[in-house]
Amino acid sequence: MRFSRAFICSIKETPKEAVLKSHQYLIRGGFISAQSAGVYDLMPLGKRVIDKIRAIIKEELDKVGCEEVGLGFVTPSELWRESGRFFKYGKELLRFKDRKDGEFVLGPTHEEAMVSLVRGRVSSYKQLPLNLYQINLKFRDEARPRFGLMRGREFLMKDGYSFHGSREDMLREFRLMEETYKRIFRRIGLDFRVVEADSGAIGGSGSKEFMALADAGEDTILRCEKCEYGANAEAAKRVKPTYAPFESDLSGEIATPNIVSIDDLTAFLKIPAYKTVKAIAKKALFDEGEKIAIFFIRGSDELEETKALNAIGANELSDANASDLEAYKIAVGFIGCDFKGEEVLTIVDNELRNETKMVTGANKKDAHIAGVHVGGAHTFADLIAVQDGDLCPVCGAKLARRSGIEIGHIFQLGDRYSKPLNATFLDENGKAKPFIMGTYGIGVSRLIAAVIEANGDEKGCVWNEAIAPYLVDIIVGNVKDEKQSRLAENLYSQLLHEKIETILDDRAVGFGVKMNDFELIGFPYAVIVGKNATDDRAEIVVRKSGERITLNVDQIVERIKESG
Ligand code: ATP
Ligand code: MG
């Protein structure tokens, strides 16, 4: 491709709304163009990168026996009602009607659609296992689409679904997908970790996420400094910390006028925060309506919202304000773990079970109760957010928190969808059974942003050779110089002859502009044909390291082939 002919619209200015470097470089380099909030057009450079990623994904999946299909982007609501997700999925699911009043959704994920494709067509255990995938558009009406391709509303996903006759066989495929995903992400050039994950709205149990390590990541992961353990903060576990014994004579009801925060309480009573019980009240949204939920955790801990959500099986949690709570006779600021009230859910953190001599609210204004034993009659669940420095649940070493970008997610689904959708097969004994399923996703468009976040530098993108839009950018220093142009054209034909993807920057613009574009777009190599063309020499610049090598023009192609 000749730069002078190409639809590459790089710009100097950083768009106001772009805070992350990936978003900035993708717009500035002319890879994508914003269409509306969270919807982007791919321009030729972006299309080339995404097609290369797609090809790698396809190659690795096909190699291990997966088959590609293409499901409709528009899915009938009926299927979503059958699975029970039509309401559960919340506002991210875009629902609409056609002219005949038929109800549809824009697929945010395709479990239902894939089950519907397979049911009735696969009827015997002899036809199993099966692993079908697609690389296709998804739509999620995200509350806060942002960061460019990182969190779009319309985005490209690889989603795969496997069908099995037994749980053992599904687990085998799950492990195979984990290994296959690792190979894919390594080829794309990412540093990543596989972590234990929460299963979210898709349901099922046993899921792992692939996290690209990058400071800009919206997810938090906890990683053991010693062993392999890693988990999303939403699902992370820890060894229960040991707390220094603390003796106190406090007992019974104590007047605590206007003492509503843990800080004030510990200062007032001269006790450590770990001897207090903190109450966090939320509004919880269920299919059948709203309820108040109160979560009790140790005063020195923080609530992990996803764990709280899972503990009560709600669709959504939001903050409850004082008037919400007063309507249920809840003494705001003085809620104690013995609270009982109709229509109010109370959950106590596992680590508080059987703790003694604790201080908690008295469930009336301006009072606390000391010397409380948290007995076994409560509903308990894991509610706490694991912190940096907490201890690994596997080996006891320290855990470290860091940011990650979720690039892939694999789930053990079981019969979560096959059962409600009545998708069955006949086993060896002729008995009808629901398929045991797994599901496997990769955020294909998000991967582009993740690679830039992880590998880009202060000048622009840095692609590895497997996914770069072009491998080589030949920069003609001065297009008016005949010798330079001739040598550059010559190199261009030789590289094309060798099937090396090359772009020839033959524009009549300054050398500085061309170098800036090379660095911003991030081609792995530039070949600069400039002043030393008079001695038949040219210079190779390696984008990643900045290394420069001057060679005779005859050696250039060989050298690129060696490195490529
Ligand atoms: P997140 O927690 O980031 O919202 P998710 O857990 O809801 O993602 P999955 O349902 O697991 O997403 O979808 C599979 C993959 O699709 C994710 O691992 C992620 O890489 C990608 N993905 C999800 N939502 C988006 C989005 N809004 N924009 C771009 N990619 C996305
Ligand atoms: Mg996920």
Side-chain angles (χ1 to χ4, degrees):
M1 174 55 72
R2 287 168 192 276
F3 222 122
S4 58
R5 305 290 315 140
F7 184 51
I8 299 177
C9 313
S10 63
I11 51 170
K12 265 221 174 88
E13 310 75 43
T14 299
K16 275 198 307 300
E17 70 283 4
V19 287
L20 294 191
K21 71 179 172 199
S22 56
H23 191 184
Q24 294 171 355
Y25 297 161
L26 284 171
I27 299 278
R28 284 187 46 215
F31 291 87
I32 60 171
S33 158
Q35 171 79 264
S36 66
V39 181
Y40 291 88
D41 294 328
L42 287 176
M43 295 162 88
L45 289 178
K47 183 77 171 102
R48 289 182 75 89
V49 175
I50 222 159
D51 281 352
K52 290 190 175 175
I53 295 178
R54 280 180 91 120
I56 290 173
I57 294 174
K58 181 169 172 56
E59 193 185 308
E60 293 295 341
L61 289 174
D62 290 359
K63 214 159 53 188
V64 294
C66 305
E67 282 177 282
E68 188 173 2
V69 297
L71 299 177
F73 182 32
V74 173
T75 310
S77 299
E78 193 41 45
L79 285 176
W80 280 71
R81 288 183 194 277
E82 275 185 62
S83 73
R85 268 208 299 188
F86 188 68
F87 293 108
K88 184 124 184 125
Y89 212 89
K91 290 187 177 149
E92 277 182 26
L93 184 66
L94 188 69
R95 304 150 166 99
F96 62 95
K97 285 185 175 170
D98 67 7
R99 64 167 84 196
K100 292 180 181 149
D101 242 15
E103 270 190 298
F104 294 88
V105 305
L106 283 188
T109 168
H110 281 78
E111 282 77 9
E112 287 84 354
M114 194 66 93
V115 170
S116 149
L117 184 76
V118 169
R119 73 175 163 191
R121 292 196 171 90
V122 174
S123 53
S124 158
Y125 72 95
K126 290 180 194 148
Q127 295 163 282
L128 297 174
L130 200 60
N131 189 332
L132 304 174
Y133 72 96
Q134 58 170 346
I135 301 174
N136 228 335
L137 283 180
K138 295 281 178 277
F139 191 91
R140 295 182 182 180
D141 202 355
E142 298 269 355
R144 292 171 67 203
R146 58 199 167 141
F147 305 147
L149 296 186
M150 195 79 90
R151 183 166 296 284
R153 292 197 299 160
E154 185 184 276
F155 57 96
L156 196 63
M157 194 200 286
K158 172 265 153 174
D159 49 324
Y161 308 84
S162 66
F163 297 80
H164 308 270
S166 69
R167 197 176 131 72
E168 294 69 53
D169 196 50
M170 182 267 287
L171 288 175
R172 175 201 52 72
E173 190 75 8
F174 184 81
R175 286 190 287 269
L176 176 68
M177 284 301 110
E178 179 175 342
E179 290 314 309
T180 308
Y181 275 30
K182 285 184 188 166
R183 268 202 301 282
I184 291 170
F185 297 135
R186 270 187 229 121
R187 282 182 67 180
I188 287 168
L190 273 172
D191 188 11
F192 62 93
R193 294 287 178 282
V194 187
V195 301
E196 288 176 16
D198 168 58
S199 298
I202 294 201
S205 63
S207 88
K208 289 187 177 181
E209 284 167 345
F210 296 76
M211 293 283 181
L213 300 180
D215 294 338
E218 289 185 277
D219 281 277
T220 303
I221 58 177
L222 284 123
R223 255 208 309 146
C224 179
E225 287 176 354
K226 268 227 180 98
C227 77
E228 286 291 292
Y229 180 76
N232 191 313
E234 296 174 346
K237 303 254 186 291
R238 70 177 181 192
V239 176
K240 180 177 172 183
T242 44
Y243 298 98
F246 181 82
E247 285 310 322
S248 155
D249 298 333
L250 294 174
S251 80
E253 193 175 309
I254 304 168
T256 49
N258 291 324
I259 305 280
V260 294
S261 74
I262 294 293
D263 281 353
D264 289 349
L265 185 67
T266 54
F268 186 72
L269 298 180
K270 303 194 173 50
I271 54 169
Y274 60 77
K275 293 306 292 182
T276 66
V277 177
K278 171 159 77 179
I280 297 147
K282 298 271 176 192
K283 277 196 288 194
L285 185 70
F286 294 89
D287 288 351
E288 50 294 347
E290 213 169 74
K291 273 189 183 161
I292 297 291
I294 308 175
F295 301 97
F296 294 96
I297 59 175
R298 198 182 292 275
S300 49
D301 282 331
E302 297 300 327
L303 182 73
E304 170 52 54
E305 288 235 357
T306 304
K307 290 184 180 177
L309 190 78
N310 291 342
I312 57 173
N315 300 342
E316 232 174 88
L317 285 183
S318 59
D319 290 337
N321 58 32
S323 61
D324 294 328
L325 301 180
E326 278 153 11
Y328 289 91
K329 301 199 175 61
I330 297 172
V332 181
F334 303 94
I335 312 174
C337 46
D338 286 327
F339 179 88
K340 287 196 182 58
E342 265 176 46
E343 299 287 306
V344 177
L345 302 167
T346 57
I347 315 284
V348 179
D349 180 53
N350 280 341
E351 288 187 5
L352 284 174
R353 190 193 291 264
N354 285 330
E355 288 292 289
T356 54
K357 298 191 177 167
M358 302 298 285
V359 177
T360 174
N363 289 316
K364 64 181 183 193
K365 196 167 157 34
D366 295 338
H368 280 80
I369 296 183
V372 172
H373 172 218
V374 185
H378 302 283
T379 305
F380 288 93
D382 174 18
L383 297 175
I384 49 108
V386 177
Q387 303 296 335
D388 203 65
D390 280 345
L391 302 184
C392 172
V394 176
C395 76
K398 275 204 173 127
L399 294 171
R401 268 172 94 96
R402 65 163 305 177
S403 307
I405 301 170
E406 185 192 324
I407 48 175
H409 198 165
I410 56 176
F411 293 90
Q412 299 168 23
L413 268 186
D415 58 8
R416 164 69 185 85
Y417 293 91
S418 49
K419 211 168 174 181
L421 289 162
N422 204 14
T424 58
F425 68 98
L426 295 179
D427 71 5
E428 289 91 332
N429 307 315
K431 197 168 160 238
K433 282 190 174 159
F435 295 112
I436 303 299
M437 292 178 60
T439 173
Y440 320 94
I442 296 180
V444 182
S445 45
R446 180 182 284 182
L447 265 178
I448 297 187
V451 168
I452 299 176
E453 287 303 329
N455 302 344
D457 59 19
E458 68 291 345
K459 292 176 181 157
C461 309
V462 176
W463 307 108
N464 76 359
E465 288 160 16
I467 63 168
Y470 291 92
L471 190 73
V472 182
D473 177 19
I474 303 177
I475 297 178
V476 191
N478 174 6
V479 284
K480 292 203 186 102
D481 182 309
E482 236 177 74
K483 176 100 193 251
Q484 287 183 22
S485 286
R486 188 158 35 84
L487 287 189
E489 289 285 347
N490 207 339
L491 280 171
Y492 181 53
S493 347
Q494 286 178 46
L495 286 165
L496 291 187
H497 184 75
E498 296 292 340
K499 302 213 164 17
I500 293 173
E501 294 183 353
T502 305
I503 187 156
L504 172 65
D505 199 344
D506 54 348
R507 291 174 297 170
V509 297
F511 174 70
V513 173
K514 296 182 183 182
M515 270 314 275
N516 284 343
D517 277 342
F518 160 65
E519 288 169 341
L520 174 63
I521 295 167
F523 304 111
Y525 303 99
V527 173
I528 302 175
V529 186
K531 293 215 174 79
N532 40 20
T534 42
D535 315 325
D536 290 323
R537 290 162 81 77
E539 191 179 29
I540 297 178
V541 183
V542 183
R543 173 65 184 90
K544 189 171 175 187
S545 61
E547 187 190 357
R548 286 163 175 264
I549 315 147
T550 303
L551 293 172
N552 191 287
V553 282
D554 298 342
Q555 299 166 303
I556 296 277
V557 176
E558 267 321 298
R559 179 55 82 91
I560 299 259
K561 269 168 63 184
E562 280 165 20
S563 7

